[in-house]
Amino acid sequence: MGCFNCFRRVSEDACVVKRLDFTYIAVAKAALTSEQLKQHQEKTNFIIKVPKGTRDLSPQQMVVREKILDKIISCFKRHGAKGLDTPAFELKEMLTEKYEDNFGLMYDLKDQGGELLSLRYDLTVPFARYLAMNKLKKMKRYQVGKVWRRESPAIVQGRYREFCQCDFDIAGEFDPMIPDAECLRIMCEILSGLQLGDFLIKVNDRRVVDGMFAVCGVPESKFRTVCSSMDKLDKMSWEDVRHEMVAKKGLAPEVADRIGNYVQYHGGISLVEELFKDPRLSQSQLALQGLEDLKLLFEYLRLFGIADKISLDLSLARGLDYYTGVIYEAVLLESPAQAGKETLSVGSVAAGGRYDSLVAQFDPKGHNVPCVGLSIGVERIFYLVEQKMKISGEKVRTTETQVFVATPQKNFLRERLKIIAELWDAGIKAEMLYKNNPKLLPQLHYCEKADIPLMVIIGEQEQNEGVIKLRSVASREEVTINRESLVAEIQKRLSES
Amino acid sequence: MGCFNCFRRVSEDACVVKRLDFTYIAVAKAALTSEQLKQHQEKTNFIIKVPKGTRDLSPQQMVVREKILDKIISCFKRHGAKGLDTPAFELKEMLTEKYEDNFGLMYDLKDQGGELLSLRYDLTVPFARYLAMNKLKKMKRYQVGKVWRRESPAIVQGRYREFCQCDFDIAGEFDPMIPDAECLRIMCEILSGLQLGDFLIKVNDRRVVDGMFAVCGVPESKFRTVCSSMDKLDKMSWEDVRHEMVAKKGLAPEVADRIGNYVQYHGGISLVEELFKDPRLSQSQLALQGLEDLKLLFEYLRLFGIADKISLDLSLARGLDYYTGVIYEAVLLESPAQAGKETLSVGSVAAGGRYDSLVAQFDPKGHNVPCVGLSIGVERIFYLVEQKMKISGEKVRTTETQVFVATPQKNFLRERLKIIAELWDAGIKAEMLYKNNPKLLPQLHYCEKADIPLMVIIGEQEQNEGVIKLRSVASREEVTINRESLVAEIQKRLSES
């Protein structure tokens, strides 16, 4: 495997990235003479690209990204959350033992003397660290920021090694299931607001999962590892998961089959009622506690008007180790759910749950703060919105410029500079070409291409008469106004549109 | 140096950070029994803190930070800039040789297999990489993001190892000094808009610096290293800089003295005119080119109405290696400039310049895109705004909640849940206590503490009569309204306030 022109070997990393189509190999494909080739070889001793699993966001993408983030953040604020920011990296020891199986996927910083550091893996552990460090007993906070995971970026579309998470969490000792229900309500508000089509939120409880494992005969020492197998059920068939449980994790086949029976269950409040009466599951006090809470949760969800969006799903496990109670995961359904028909999931876009003992892991006295929260996966949503816009052909403006200052004649640079400064002084978004003597046509083209609504035109005649032309780019209508009423006239037009 | 209670040694890192007061040593100061002490020692085998030179931003700080960023970004948009985002880390080879002397200060990632990566050091080099990678010949973009530098964080107040930069750059081949003047105009708009007091923007040109070195007798091979000494003039006296030039950099004393003569010069357009006639400096063609551009620049600055804010300062060098033309740096003046009195600088808050050959370093064919831009240092500004707010006692709201849903009686949780869902449905920002049966007083306190303007109160009497109470928290006035007109009434009140 080599570079197209200079025939140097390309590392395996570069190849993977190339296949994923988010890189650019900095070599020209044109034929080169041997002298050119030699120079070229010297110059291109590197491939110009972004690191594997990361990407730039272009101006077009930034506009889409910001629209999505605005909707998410305004929902968080509607629910009274405060903002928080934490560093991109933490002391390595702060992150150790919080993610169990996934710990190998952390980005570590090089030991350059001083502290050992790792890039944050999520926003939840830094939040717990913040609470413990500041001895906060309660807090409703949101945080939006990048997190980094050294996963193979090829697995699923829209999965990167650097990605943005939007988190909302409620920390504090409260009456059961009220904050939990609000988290689910927030997920519904955001997913409805983003108009991504129909969605479903799967709910379960870690205590129900553990109780189910216990009554199925899983040894307690294997709870976490079997849980992480079960977590793969959205990507693998039950047969493959069963195989992993038996062959790799050493479960007895009949134990796996008992689990296999439960993981098929999904439904609403009536399923909760049924499970209370399940002869095997009802043997587990832990499972009964979980079911008790789920029952209450479903009642609150009904009052919140979102019970139809939520489904108890015994196959839901959630990979992260820190969950202790209710867990949930939102999936988009490819087409609107139709009664009696199977709907196909296109993957998880938001998830979360209750983690009641994470803060204690940071507190030297073991003081604890129960927490519940959710995380919105922006990349997946971004991918879907982008696809939708491509299909609909919707155009986005990448600038907000309102007025363009133009001239059809030479020697008007100084006048244009004075006019544009006047507009900026008035807070008007304005641009002009950085040329001494531009021709009129490129100035018109610039406005049309950038969708700038208004154009101010100054020329010799206008200057002599103390007037100026104002042109609507879309309608091509021009009016001549007094030079001194320029700002007022533009502000009037902008406020009307 | 040890921990207060468990007597374990604290690393030098931890001590430095503690002195800087942005950490928290997670040990209780209370007296402990020997058994407690043992448990404590086991538990506190770590110090709970953020990495050296980094910090969390609390909700209060986030509000201030967002206000500052909003003002900066809206200025960038007023000038027609497009948004861009790049990854937090780049391939190490992309960053190598771009910062010369400062290169040791980069955060490298650990080699965990695959590519060698470093955290970005600024937003300029990633922008140049983006332009080259996408073969863009022109672009006006802004970018806001964190950058990381392994500097000793103790040097200057408000200097961190992780900090936020706001960059605006204009890439493309244009007529001279028009984009450069706009960059200075943007710096003025932002610094005026933030109301940080009087400021001054020092301007120079790398060609004038190099020309000055040449005519003073600095060997060409020492231009860059002497330049980086000169860059320290805002932190060190001329005597110390001179000593460094002579003793460390090996300049002849008379050469250093000639430089010492020039670096005292500062002034406006008239200084430019004088320097044209300077018998020594006018020997340098390079310096004359720089002066020619500075003359034009000052003319445009006058048309932009900001010439009085700009001062040509021959001591300005700018440390970064990639600048090729005009350079500038904004400093805040401690008190409003008074005629005839010396004003004291409190440090640089924004800086930038022209870098015409950086993009070519990324382009395999050496194609170039001239660029000019600026970077706003948010931490320093943030520190000043925070100090100002502390002095004035100004309070900030950390949430935007508009309505609180309360009850004075037991058994109204379900009713409160229904009401709050109705408010959320209408887009109203609403909160309630997560308690089944809260007492009225804590609910009132919550509203007062969080500055929530409106309170909805539901009780038995109200429910029986189909009404609800609406209370203004500030005036304590209560009105009883029909239950079904609740949302409309709240929206009316919110639109009026």
Side-chain angles (χ1 to χ4, degrees):
Chain A
M1 181 73 209
C3 158
F4 307 120
N5 284 300
C6 59
F7 311 112
R8 61 181 285 274
R9 282 189 60 77
V10 174
S11 73
E12 190 241 313
D13 262 358
C15 296
V16 171
V17 173
K18 214 177 60 202
R19 262 185 277 130
L20 284 170
D21 194 27
F22 43 73
T23 186
Y24 158 75
I25 309 292
V27 289
K29 291 192 183 177
L32 299 170
T33 67
S34 67
E35 182 52 31
Q36 280 174 323
L37 188 63
K38 205 181 135 204
Q39 284 175 6
H40 175 66
Q41 278 176 315
E42 279 159 14
K43 275 235 157 190
T44 56
N45 221 346
F46 63 92
I47 296 172
I48 182 165
K49 62 186 278 298
V50 293
K52 182 174 174 177
T54 70
R55 59 171 165 174
D56 298 316
L57 291 184
S58 71
Q60 287 74 15
Q61 293 173 315
M62 283 296 282
V63 174
V64 179
R65 166 71 53 111
E66 270 171 25
K67 272 188 192 166
I68 294 170
L69 292 184
D70 277 354
K71 282 204 174 144
I72 293 171
I73 292 170
S74 69
C75 176
F76 292 164
K77 288 184 173 173
R78 189 156 62 241
H79 289 262
K82 300 174 178 186
L84 177 71
D85 188 48
T86 64
F89 43 72
E90 297 272 344
L91 296 186
K92 191 174 166 57
E93 62 195 291
M94 295 292 152
L95 305 183
T96 310
E97 287 171 30
K98 306 299 184 303
Y99 306 104
E100 193 147 331
D101 276 6
N102 304 307
F103 188 67
L105 302 174
M106 200 98 62
Y107 276 99
D108 292 334
L109 270 74
K110 191 168 146 186
D111 183 358
Q112 295 172 291
E115 303 162 330
L116 290 182
L117 307 169
S118 300
L119 294 183
R120 65 186 175 203
Y121 186 85
D122 63 14
L123 302 177
T124 310
V125 172
F127 175 54
R129 191 264 306 145
Y130 178 82
L131 291 173
M133 192 168 122
N134 295 283
K135 293 181 180 162
L136 299 175
K137 290 292 161 213
K138 58 175 84 168
M139 184 178 193
K140 187 154 61 174
R141 85 89 180 77
Y142 75 92
Q143 185 172 357
V144 173
K146 287 180 176 178
V147 301
W148 295 270
R149 300 183 185 179
R150 298 189 68 246
E151 298 179 272
S152 170
I155 310 170
V156 190
Q157 222 147 13
R159 184 168 273 200
Y160 290 91
R161 289 180 160 201
E162 172 182 80
F163 56 97
C164 178
Q165 282 198 332
C166 301
D167 278 29
F168 173 98
D169 292 80
I170 300 172
E173 190 87 52
F174 301 112
D175 281 329
M177 294 300 111
I178 314 179
D180 312 59
E182 184 167 2
C183 287
L184 288 163
R185 164 85 200 191
I186 287 171
M187 280 166 71
C188 285
E189 283 183 26
I190 289 171
L191 294 177
S192 305
L194 289 170
Q195 298 179 297
L196 301 168
D198 208 9
F199 63 89
L200 186 76
I201 303 178
K202 299 180 195 173
V203 172
N204 201 357
D205 191 296
R206 266 286 164 89
R207 292 164 297 174
V208 175
V209 174
D210 286 355
M212 177 187 85
F213 286 161
V215 299
C216 290
V218 179
E220 210 178 320
S221 61
K222 290 190 176 169
F223 277 14
R224 285 285 80 84
T225 183
V226 172
C227 190
S228 88
S229 294
M230 206 171 96
D231 189 46
K232 297 173 186 163
L233 270 174
D234 56 340
K235 290 160 210 148
M236 283 160 64
S237 70
W238 165 247
E239 282 65 41
D240 293 338
V241 170
R242 182 186 182 281
H243 178 77
E244 183 176 303
M245 285 178 175
V246 175
K248 284 196 196 161
K249 310 282 170 95
L251 276 200
E254 64 273 18
V255 171
D257 288 336
R258 274 180 224 128
I259 298 173
N261 177 43
Y262 280 115
V263 296
Q264 291 168 35
Y265 291 155
H266 49 90
I269 181 80
S270 56
L271 174 58
V272 181
E273 301 290 359
E274 270 174 51
L275 289 173
F276 270 115
K277 294 178 222 141
D278 182 272
R280 189 173 271 132
L281 197 61
S282 59
Q283 298 301 306
S284 160
Q285 279 306 312
L286 202 61
L288 289 177
Q289 282 171 25
L291 290 171
E292 211 51 80
D293 273 352
L294 285 171
K295 192 179 159 191
L296 197 58
L297 180 68
F298 268 100
E299 195 198 335
Y300 296 162
L301 299 177
R302 189 179 52 76
L303 293 162
F304 275 165
I306 55 166
D308 59 320
K309 293 287 178 197
I310 320 287
S311 166
L312 171 58
D313 190 322
L314 288 194
S315 75
L316 183 70
R318 301 286 303 128
L320 292 171
D321 203 43
Y322 46 64
Y323 292 115
T324 55
V326 172
I327 48 178
Y328 32 80
E329 189 171 286
V331 291
L332 298 177
L333 306 170
E334 204 144 46
S335 59
Q338 294 168 303
K341 284 197 184 171
E342 203 65 48
T343 51
L344 187 68
S345 145
V346 292
S348 153
V349 288
R354 177 162 282 284
Y355 48 103
D356 279 351
S357 23
L358 187 59
V359 177
Q361 292 186 44
F362 289 107
D363 192 284
K365 288 182 165 175
H367 283 316
N368 202 19
V369 182
C371 297
V372 63
L374 63 99
S375 185
I376 310 277
V378 184
E379 302 329 300
R380 204 74 63 85
I381 291 172
F382 177 71
Y383 173 79
L384 292 164
V385 173
E386 238 189 347
Q387 292 304 311
K388 220 171 79 176
M389 287 174 67
K390 261 184 206 162
I391 292 164
S392 73
E394 194 188 324
K395 261 184 76 179
V396 288
R397 277 196 76 182
T398 54
T399 62
E400 299 178 6
T401 309
Q402 298 162 318
V403 180
F404 185 90
V405 180
T407 183
Q409 278 147 345
K410 286 193 175 178
N411 299 319
F412 272 87
L413 172 64
R414 278 146 190 83
E415 200 51 35
R416 279 152 60 219
L417 291 176
K418 274 201 285 194
I419 292 168
I420 203 166
E422 209 178 309
L423 300 181
W424 290 331
D425 281 338
I428 294 164
K429 297 167 189 162
E431 284 187 87
M432 56 175 262
L433 290 196
Y434 303 122
K435 287 191 75 125
N436 293 325
N437 299 307
K439 295 216 160 56
L440 189 61
L441 206 59
Q443 298 177 84
L444 286 165
H445 281 167
Y446 190 94
C447 292
E448 279 168 10
K449 213 183 144 198
D451 261 331
I452 300 173
L454 287 175
M455 206 167 176
V456 166
I457 304 171
I458 182 80
E460 215 166 319
Q461 200 189 336
E462 288 81 15
Q463 197 172 32
N464 291 339
E465 295 173 7
V467 295
I468 199 159
K469 268 192 200 150
L470 198 54
R471 179 187 170 110
S472 156
V473 177
S475 70
R476 299 181 183 191
E477 281 171 81
E478 282 182 9
V479 290
T480 301
I481 56 170
N482 278 330
R483 174 70 184 78
E484 59 266 32
S485 56
L486 177 64
V487 165
E489 179 63 28
I490 289 173
Q491 280 170 335
K492 189 171 145 262
R493 290 224 190 178
L494 292 174
S495 69
E496 285 164 3
S497 66
Chain B
M1 179 74 206
C3 159
F4 306 121
N5 283 299
C6 59
F7 311 112
R8 62 182 284 275
R9 280 190 61 77
V10 174
S11 73
E12 189 243 314
D13 262 358
C15 298
V16 170
V17 173
K18 212 176 64 202
R19 260 185 280 131
L20 284 169
D21 195 27
F22 43 74
T23 187
Y24 158 74
I25 309 293
V27 289
K29 292 192 181 176
L32 298 170
T33 67
S34 69
E35 181 53 30
Q36 278 174 325
L37 188 62
K38 204 181 138 203
Q39 284 175 6
H40 175 65
Q41 278 177 315
E42 279 159 16
K43 275 235 158 192
T44 55
N45 219 346
F46 63 90
I47 295 172
I48 182 164
K49 62 186 279 298
V50 293
K52 183 176 172 177
T54 69
R55 60 171 166 174
D56 298 316
L57 291 184
S58 71
Q60 286 77 13
Q61 293 174 315
M62 283 296 282
V63 174
V64 179
R65 166 70 53 113
E66 270 170 26
K67 272 188 191 166
I68 294 170
L69 293 184
D70 277 354
K71 282 205 174 141
I72 293 171
I73 292 170
S74 69
C75 176
F76 291 164
K77 288 185 174 173
R78 188 156 62 241
H79 288 262
K82 301 173 177 185
L84 177 71
D85 188 49
T86 64
F89 43 73
E90 297 272 343
L91 296 186
K92 189 173 167 58
E93 62 195 289
M94 295 291 151
L95 305 183
T96 310
E97 287 171 31
K98 305 301 184 303
Y99 305 103
E100 194 148 329
D101 276 7
N102 305 307
F103 188 67
L105 302 174
M106 199 99 62
Y107 276 100
D108 292 334
L109 271 73
K110 190 169 149 186
D111 184 358
Q112 295 172 289
E115 303 162 330
L116 290 180
L117 307 169
S118 300
L119 294 183
R120 64 185 176 204
Y121 186 85
D122 63 13
L123 302 176
T124 310
V125 172
F127 174 55
R129 191 263 307 144
Y130 178 82
L131 291 173
M133 191 169 124
N134 294 285
K135 292 180 179 161
L136 299 175
K137 290 290 161 215
K138 57 175 85 168
M139 184 177 193
K140 187 156 59 176
R141 84 90 180 77
Y142 76 90
Q143 184 171 357
V144 173
K146 287 180 176 178
V147 302
W148 295 270
R149 299 182 186 180
R150 297 188 69 248
E151 297 178 273
S152 170
I155 310 170
V156 190
Q157 222 147 13
R159 185 167 271 200
Y160 290 91
R161 291 182 160 201
E162 172 181 80
F163 56 97
C164 178
Q165 281 198 334
C166 301
D167 277 29
F168 172 98
D169 292 81
I170 301 172
E173 190 86 54
F174 301 112
D175 282 329
M177 294 300 110
I178 315 179
D180 313 59
E182 184 167 3
C183 287
L184 288 164
R185 165 84 201 192
I186 287 172
M187 279 165 71
C188 285
E189 283 183 26
I190 289 171
L191 294 177
S192 305
L194 289 170
Q195 297 179 298
L196 301 169
D198 209 8
F199 62 91
L200 185 76
I201 303 179
K202 299 179 193 171
V203 172
N204 202 357
D205 191 297
R206 265 286 163 90
R207 291 164 297 175
V208 174
V209 175
D210 286 355
M212 177 186 85
F213 287 161
V215 300
C216 289
V218 179
E220 210 179 320
S221 60
K222 290 191 177 166
F223 277 13
R224 285 286 79 87
T225 182
V226 172
C227 190
S228 87
S229 294
M230 205 172 96
D231 189 45
K232 296 173 187 163
L233 269 174
D234 55 340
K235 290 161 211 147
M236 282 159 63
S237 69
W238 165 247
E239 282 63 41
D240 293 338
V241 170
R242 183 186 182 282
H243 177 76
E244 184 176 304
M245 286 179 174
V246 175
K248 285 197 195 160
K249 309 284 170 93
L251 276 198
E254 64 274 19
V255 171
D257 290 337
R258 275 182 223 126
I259 297 173
N261 178 42
Y262 281 114
V263 296
Q264 293 168 36
Y265 290 157
H266 49 89
I269 182 79
S270 56
L271 174 60
V272 181
E273 301 290 359
E274 271 174 50
L275 290 173
F276 270 114
K277 295 177 222 144
D278 183 272
R280 189 173 270 131
L281 197 60
S282 59
Q283 299 300 308
S284 161
Q285 279 306 311
L286 201 62
L288 290 177
Q289 282 172 26
L291 289 171
E292 212 50 80
D293 273 352
L294 285 171
K295 191 180 159 188
L296 197 58
L297 179 68
F298 269 99
E299 195 197 336
Y300 297 163
L301 298 178
R302 190 181 50 79
L303 293 163
F304 275 167
I306 54 167
D308 59 320
K309 292 288 178 197
I310 321 287
S311 166
L312 171 59
D313 190 323
L314 289 193
S315 74
L316 182 70
R318 301 286 303 130
L320 293 172
D321 204 43
Y322 46 64
Y323 291 115
T324 56
V326 172
I327 47 177
Y328 31 80
E329 190 171 284
V331 291
L332 298 178
L333 307 170
E334 205 146 45
S335 59
Q338 293 169 301
K341 282 197 185 172
E342 203 66 46
T343 51
L344 187 68
S345 146
V346 292
S348 153
V349 288
R354 176 161 284 283
Y355 49 103
D356 280 351
S357 23
L358 186 59
V359 177
Q361 292 186 44
F362 290 107
D363 192 284
K365 289 181 164 177
H367 283 315
N368 202 18
V369 182
C371 297
V372 63
L374 63 99
S375 184
I376 310 276
V378 185
E379 300 333 296
R380 205 74 64 86
I381 291 172
F382 178 70
Y383 172 78
L384 292 164
V385 173
E386 239 190 346
Q387 292 305 311
K388 219 171 79 175
M389 286 174 68
K390 261 183 205 160
I391 291 164
S392 73
E394 194 186 326
K395 261 184 77 179
V396 288
R397 276 196 76 183
T398 54
T399 62
E400 299 178 5
T401 309
Q402 299 162 318
V403 180
F404 186 91
V405 180
T407 184
Q409 278 147 345
K410 285 195 175 178
N411 300 317
F412 271 87
L413 172 64
R414 279 147 190 83
E415 199 51 35
R416 279 151 61 218
L417 292 176
K418 274 201 286 194
I419 292 168
I420 203 166
E422 210 178 309
L423 300 181
W424 290 332
D425 281 337
I428 295 164
K429 296 167 189 162
E431 284 187 86
M432 55 175 262
L433 290 196
Y434 302 123
K435 287 191 75 127
N436 293 326
N437 299 308
K439 294 219 159 56
L440 189 61
L441 205 58
Q443 297 176 84
L444 285 166
H445 281 167
Y446 190 94
C447 291
E448 279 168 10
K449 212 182 146 199
D451 261 331
I452 301 173
L454 288 175
M455 206 168 176
V456 165
I457 303 170
I458 182 81
E460 215 165 318
Q461 200 189 333
E462 287 81 15
Q463 196 171 34
N464 290 341
E465 295 173 7
V467 296
I468 198 159
K469 268 191 199 150
L470 197 56
R471 178 186 170 111
S472 156
V473 176
S475 69
R476 299 180 181 191
E477 279 170 80
E478 282 183 6
V479 290
T480 301
I481 55 170
N482 278 330
R483 175 68 184 78
E484 60 267 29
S485 56
L486 177 64
V487 165
E489 180 63 27
I490 289 173
Q491 280 170 334
K492 189 170 146 263
R493 290 224 189 179
L494 292 174
S495 70
E496 285 164 2
S497 65

